[in-house]
Amino acid sequence: MKVVLFCGGLGTRIREYSESIPKPMIPVGSQPIMWHVMQYYSRYGHRDFVLALGYKANVIKDYFLHLDSATTHNCVVSQFGKKVEIIGEQQPDWRLTMIDTGVWRNIGQRLVAVKEHVKDEEIFLANYSDGLTDAPLPEMIDFFKASGKIACFIAVRPPFNFHLAEFDESGLVKRLKANTESEVWINGGYFIFRNEIFDYIKDGEELVLQPFNRLIKDNNLVAFKYEGFWRAMDTLRDRQVLEEMVENGQMPWAPETDMPRERHTVHAVTQSVRSR
């Protein structure tokens, strides 16, 4: 299946990095977080990506157009750098269609802007490009197909602890409980769509607001509940947590020990779509 990656946000909550590079390019270990997301899909055989670019689109284009295997893979260099031999098995190709959807488009409109590139897909995948998980993607896809619905997202527990308060009209507290004891679930940013999703998105609309509410009204939206590892990189602290996991060799989203050094051959297609 094709995978649409939303790569155009400003990343204002992690401004320490996003002022110089787009959020999906913020590194986790030696590679950008979106590289890790793409590795996740690639591991399950989904290697045809559509990148919906926006903020600092040129940075992402430049990264993939100049991806050097010598910097992402073990290698032997000889003849004063003229000869480079890659050590280990070559990884499968990635195919990238990079579409500049404009700086100020929201997620819903970025999806519409790349509609032409998934028009032949009965089902396609989509991702916010800023979160990592070890969720069983084949199970999620099977769950979605069996549902017969139009859209699906992964529902996860909030990655932080807080206490929920129950109180009456006078303010008298009746109960306090941890969020882990409740049925609080959030959208984890991993989506599966049928092509009919575009019938639910109107001009200017954000994806998970009006369109999703229409899907709910028509009983066409399902959630795949997952309680395993999931972590989004919304803040500097989130990045620090992921960095510490990499440093300690604890990367559930990348079970293969050589994942940070893998290299993919990239076939890139670029196109621009102007903002309205």
Side-chain angles (χ1 to χ4, degrees):
M1 297 178 187
K2 286 191 176 183
V3 184
V4 175
L5 299 179
F6 302 115
C7 310
L10 297 177
T12 55
R13 286 183 288 178
I14 193 166
R15 188 176 295 276
E16 292 87 349
Y17 278 92
S18 62
E19 287 186 350
S20 57
I21 58 175
K23 185 179 180 183
M25 291 300 295
I26 296 175
V28 173
S30 61
Q31 297 295 339
I33 188 169
M34 70 176 295
W35 183 91
H36 292 273
V37 172
M38 293 166 72
Q39 290 280 15
Y40 169 81
Y41 285 109
S42 182
R43 190 160 62 249
Y44 292 111
H46 309 291
R47 302 181 181 113
D48 193 343
F49 298 94
V50 179
L51 276 54
L53 307 176
Y55 177 66
K56 293 188 180 296
N58 61 305
V59 176
I60 296 178
K61 289 181 180 179
D62 185 70
Y63 172 79
F64 286 109
L65 290 171
H66 299 92
L67 190 60
D68 186 354
S69 61
T71 61
T72 57
H73 204 284
N74 291 334
C75 60
V76 176
V77 180
S78 59
Q79 298 179 15
F80 301 99
K82 295 180 181 180
K83 183 179 180 181
V84 178
E85 300 172 74
I86 302 301
I87 299 176
E89 182 181 354
Q90 291 290 317
Q91 299 302 312
D93 287 355
W94 282 349
R95 183 179 188 275
L96 272 62
T97 303
M98 296 187 279
I99 310 299
D100 190 342
T101 62
V103 176
W104 299 110
R105 271 196 172 96
N106 59 36
I107 295 294
Q109 299 311 297
R110 293 192 195 285
L111 183 58
V112 172
V114 300
K115 177 180 178 180
E116 179 70 16
H117 301 279
V118 293
K119 65 180 181 180
D120 297 325
E121 302 292 306
E122 178 186 355
I123 297 174
F124 64 93
L125 310 170
N127 196 289
Y128 283 157
S129 303
D130 65 357
L132 302 174
T133 187
D134 63 352
L137 184 59
E139 290 183 24
M140 184 174 173
I141 293 173
D142 289 344
F143 166 79
F144 173 66
K145 287 181 176 179
S147 75
K149 306 305 181 183
I150 291 175
C152 175
F153 65 88
I154 191 171
V156 297
R157 296 287 193 180
F160 47 86
N161 294 323
F162 55 86
H163 290 93
L164 299 171
E166 297 179 6
F167 47 88
D168 61 21
E169 293 182 358
S170 68
L172 183 66
V173 176
K174 298 295 185 178
R175 184 185 180 192
L176 284 173
K177 61 180 179 180
N179 63 294
T180 54
E181 301 173 11
S182 69
E183 280 300 304
V184 175
W185 297 84
I186 62 174
N187 166 24
Y190 282 65
F191 303 97
I192 308 175
F193 296 125
R194 294 186 187 275
N195 217 271
E196 290 86 347
I197 184 64
F198 295 106
D199 297 334
Y200 285 80
I201 307 174
K202 296 183 180 179
D203 189 42
E205 291 182 343
E206 175 59 270
L207 179 64
V208 298
L209 297 178
Q210 301 96 329
F212 271 27
N213 280 321
R214 293 190 190 101
L215 288 166
I216 293 170
K217 183 178 180 181
D218 290 349
N219 295 317
N220 267 320
L221 178 65
V222 291
F224 180 81
K225 295 171 68 174
Y226 184 62
E227 299 203 53
F229 174 79
W230 176 89
R231 187 89 191 194
M233 190 177 64
D234 288 325
T235 65
L236 183 60
R237 175 55 185 158
D238 292 329
R239 180 183 179 273
Q240 292 172 338
V241 169
L242 293 173
E243 278 290 313
E244 290 171 3
M245 295 180 72
V246 171
E247 291 173 2
N248 294 327
Q250 300 172 345
M251 298 178 289
W253 67 88
E256 295 85 353
T257 57
D258 63 341
M259 281 292 283
R261 299 188 302 275
E262 286 188 358
R263 178 258 187 186
H264 288 75
T265 300
V266 176
H267 299 295
V269 179
T270 64
Q271 177 180 325
S272 294
V273 178
R274 293 189 178 183
S275 299
R276 293 178 181 176

